[in-house]
Amino acid sequence: TSGFGIMENAVHHIVSLEDFPSKELKFVCLRNVWGAEFNWSGPFANNSDDWEKFKDVRDSLFGHKKFTAESQNVYYMKVENFLKEFTRVL
């Protein structure tokens, strides 16, 4: 893994791109086919305290209920983290 939960050389599906210009936040939503234990665990990971600072963004993305790591193999990463962690997009 990368140190933040993502398995090296594993395929992830890009679900969406989300932009919050007023907050200067851009996210990539990814679906992990390998299971929740290999979801992103860095900044803004599912159940991260980072979401508490941006509750309006969290609510916009997740509804009024945060995802739990067990609920879906979907997670958000800030674009800059995505660009560091993933080397190829096909």
Side-chain angles (χ1 to χ4, degrees):
T1 64
S2 69
F4 285 109
I6 296 173
M7 181 188 304
E8 288 184 37
N9 299 316
V11 174
H12 290 70
H13 300 275
I14 296 175
V15 176
S16 65
L17 301 172
E18 308 291 343
D19 189 7
F20 296 89
S22 65
K23 306 287 185 186
E24 296 183 8
L25 291 172
K26 292 182 181 183
F27 294 99
V28 177
C29 180
L30 298 164
R31 181 174 303 281
N32 173 8
V33 300
W34 296 96
E37 66 270 20
F38 297 110
N39 281 355
W40 172 246
S41 62
F44 289 95
N46 292 347
N47 295 323
S48 167
D49 290 341
D50 296 313
W51 293 112
E52 293 302 314
K53 299 172 195 163
F54 298 95
K55 290 180 182 181
D56 55 335
V57 173
R58 180 197 67 201
D59 292 347
S60 176
L61 294 173
F62 299 121
H64 293 290
K65 180 179 176 184
K66 283 200 305 187
F67 281 141
T68 62
E70 304 83 40
S71 69
Q72 293 191 26
N73 294 337
V74 174
Y75 60 91
Y76 289 89
M77 293 178 78
K78 288 177 67 176
V79 168
E80 53 265 35
N81 295 122
F82 174 81
L83 294 172
K84 288 177 187 174
E85 292 293 323
F86 291 90
T87 57
R88 293 187 307 167
V89 177
L90 303 173

